[in-house]
Amino acid sequence: MSNASFSSAVTLSLVPEAAGGPFVFWDDLAGNARLIKSMGFDAVEIFAPSAEFLRSLDLKKVLEEAELRLAALGTGAGWVLHKWTLTHSDPSIRGKARDFVGELIKHASEFGAPAIVGSMQGRFEGNVSRQQALAWLREGLNELGGMAAAQGTVLLFEPLNRYETNLINRIEDGVNLLKSLETDSVRLLVDLFHANIEETSTATAIEKAAGHIGHIHFVDSNRRAAGWGQIDFKPIVQALKSVGYRGYLSAEAQAHGDAEGAAKQTLRSYRSLA
Ligand code: LER
Ligand code: MN
């Protein structure tokens, strides 16, 4: 279902080890793709163990048959399954993280979609300074952003709340990081759950980030479906409209065992905010 301003998407995880994570649908790619389409979503955002795994499931055929678009591919399984990050102190691990994200960028680009760097930003700790970790993060994003551009897509970078990273928590910090890159092919992913923890005003932060926002994780304060927590979505959606954002509102939420219920609630909120 589309409205004038945005497109709708919902998350699907194919990573059992991510149990408890903020994904609405789990497993059964083909069955869930049909269900997601029949409910009225425009697209699915997929959290997968690897690009190779998605190829083995023939994602292309599955989405074509369901007539469903791909909104984005998450890369956090590189962290969840392997503990790889772009800022790890071991250069061979940083290399593995870059290869893992690079393969997902390549696969996403075949659908005209972006990949997301969220958890793969890692954190600074031990002997690694904040400055050093940010330098490695820039290095990784420059390479991966360049790769995305060469494949005709962009890369999404997601600030995370303070309990998940000590690198980039706020939208403004994310914009400053993007401005410091050599590539202009990295866009900001604003996850409203993280922003609710970190921002003074999510709406104002979005207005200040005009031109940099490429994706929204549409979710409430308690990480439940939009409308089932305490966020006031109207000023946020107004801010997104005012900066000319026309991308996805993608439901990255915990469904607590009722995927269809959470998906329906997301659509109710989405439609009321159109
Ligand atoms: C993690 O908290 C998150 O929001 C994901 O989108 C990043 O991988
Ligand atoms: Mn997110």
Side-chain angles (χ1 to χ4, degrees):
M1 182 216 47
S2 284
N3 64 41
S5 303
F6 314 112
S7 298
S8 62
V10 63
T11 49
L12 164 74
S13 170
L14 300 171
V15 182
E17 293 85 348
F23 308 106
V24 175
F25 290 95
W26 291 79
D27 308 320
D28 186 13
L29 177 64
N32 278 322
R34 284 193 296 272
L35 176 58
I36 289 166
K37 172 72 183 187
S38 74
M39 292 186 78
F41 285 96
D42 298 310
V44 62
E45 176 180 323
I46 300 178
F47 190 81
S50 66
E52 198 182 4
F53 183 77
L54 289 174
R55 284 186 212 281
S56 78
L57 294 181
D58 207 344
L59 180 61
K60 201 148 225 170
K61 190 159 159 236
V62 170
L63 293 188
E64 269 168 23
E65 282 180 4
E67 294 177 35
L68 191 63
R69 301 203 311 252
L70 181 68
L73 290 182
T75 67
W79 165 249
V80 172
L81 298 178
H82 310 290
K83 301 297 171 220
W84 296 334
T85 74
L86 296 173
T87 56
H88 198 282
S89 58
D90 180 340
S92 75
I93 304 272
R94 295 200 298 279
K96 284 180 185 185
R98 286 215 285 268
D99 290 348
F100 183 83
V101 176
E103 287 300 313
L104 283 162
I105 289 172
K106 222 182 284 168
H107 199 40
S109 76
E110 292 169 26
F111 302 83
I116 300 166
V117 168
S119 307
M120 292 296 276
Q121 73 189 269
R123 50 169 53 241
F124 72 95
E125 56 196 347
N127 292 332
V128 178
S129 67
R130 174 179 177 81
Q131 204 185 6
Q132 176 63 78
L134 286 172
W136 283 332
L137 183 57
R138 275 189 212 100
E139 202 178 292
L141 293 178
N142 274 327
E143 184 180 326
L144 294 166
M147 196 183 282
Q151 319 266 350
T153 184
V154 293
L155 178 65
L156 298 171
F157 177 79
E158 178 177 15
L160 304 176
N161 76 70
R162 64 190 70 181
Y163 307 108
E164 296 187 35
T165 185
N166 53 13
L167 288 174
I168 303 293
N169 302 128
R170 294 169 60 248
I171 294 170
E172 186 181 3
D173 298 331
V175 169
N176 288 336
L177 177 76
L178 300 197
K179 282 182 180 165
S180 76
L181 299 179
E182 285 146 33
T183 171
D184 63 359
S185 294
V186 186
R187 304 265 184 281
L188 210 65
L189 192 174
V190 175
D191 181 319
L192 301 179
F193 166 75
H194 298 305
N196 179 66
I197 293 170
E198 297 297 340
E199 303 298 337
T200 307
S201 160
T202 300
T204 306
I206 286 171
E207 280 162 15
K208 287 190 183 155
H212 291 285
I213 299 174
H215 198 75
I216 299 293
H217 278 161
F218 184 55
V219 55
D220 221 313
S221 53
N222 48 8
R223 232 170 194 184
R224 300 191 68 146
W228 281 349
Q230 304 197 62
I231 291 179
D232 181 3
F233 287 92
K234 280 204 191 94
I236 294 173
V237 166
Q238 193 45 49
L240 287 169
K241 287 181 182 172
S242 79
V243 298
Y245 177 74
R246 300 189 63 84
Y248 287 102
L249 299 188
S250 185
E252 189 191 62
Q254 291 166 329
H256 297 282
D258 181 12
E260 273 196 73
K264 271 185 199 151
Q265 171 58 27
T266 290
L267 287 170
R268 268 196 294 275
S269 287
Y270 180 84
R271 285 168 182 150
S272 76
L273 290 161

